[in-house]
Amino acid sequence: MADPVGYEGFDEARRALKKMQDPEKSREYKQANFDIANEVVIPAARANASTRLQRRAAGTLVAVRTESGGSVRLGQGFPAALGAEFGADRNQPRRVFRYGKSFNARGFNQFEPWRGSDRGAGYFLWPAIREQEGEIINRYDQLFRDLFDDEGGG
């Protein structure tokens, strides 16, 4: 999987927030995760989708609330979504069965070529996350400043 956005001190801030055991601040943190997914990542990812297949896959993007906050869900109800985002090895020989007959075919050409799983991975979602890294970090920075302001730092 592609590298996540890097925010120095993020894990420490989350642990400090958990130690505070303040339900209101926990709710604020979880809401901020959801808002970042919904307001920053998803619109950018949809704007990056350039092919019909990618646009259809990007249309399945939704921000979801999780136990730890929020995240982006891709592909619910659209089996080709991960292929649209990450691509695939093309011209793969495979056995196909149609109309009671078996034959050899080359497949997965409906997807763009696979780009690997490093910093360059993805076609619309992961590039959007990388492009919006500054905005994501700014939002978390402001969030942690607000959450720890009352406590005298974190």
Side-chain angles (χ1 to χ4, degrees), residues 87-117:
D89 288 332
R90 299 172 64 116
N91 295 316
Q92 294 300 302
R94 58 190 187 139
R95 199 91 176 125
V96 178
F97 297 92
R98 295 229 172 92
Y99 310 110
K101 298 197 179 199
S102 166
F103 58 94
N104 292 324
R106 298 219 172 253
F108 307 115
N109 293 339
Q110 72 269 36
F111 303 121
E112 297 291 326
W114 185 62
R115 287 186 172 170
S117 57

Side-chain angles (χ1 to χ4, degrees), residues 4 6 13 15 23 27 42 51 58-59 76-77 84 90 96 100-101 105 116 120 132:
R15 282 192 285 275
R27 272 192 294 279
I42 292 175
T51 68
Q76 190 151 351
R90 299 172 64 116
V96 178
K101 298 197 179 199
Q132 297 298 318

Side-chain angles (χ1 to χ4, degrees), residues 55-145:
R55 285 189 296 275
R56 183 165 176 209
T60 69
L61 291 168
V62 292
V64 293
R65 296 182 193 283
T66 64
E67 184 66 29
S68 62
S71 64
V72 176
R73 179 179 294 149
L74 168 66
Q76 190 151 351
F78 183 49
L82 291 176
E85 168 60 3
F86 293 107
D89 288 332
R90 299 172 64 116
N91 295 316
Q92 294 300 302
R94 58 190 187 139
R95 199 91 176 125
V96 178
F97 297 92
R98 295 229 172 92
Y99 310 110
K101 298 197 179 199
S102 166
F103 58 94
N104 292 324
R106 298 219 172 253
F108 307 115
N109 293 339
Q110 72 269 36
F111 303 121
E112 297 291 326
W114 185 62
R115 287 186 172 170
S117 57
D118 57 3
R119 191 89 175 136
Y123 279 92
F124 56 93
L125 177 58
W126 278 100
I129 292 170
R130 290 188 296 270
E131 290 163 9
Q132 297 298 318
E133 188 170 6
E135 175 65 18
I136 293 168
I137 289 172
N138 288 340
R139 286 191 178 216
Y140 276 118
D141 188 51
Q142 187 59 52
L143 170 71
F144 289 134
R145 287 178 194 277

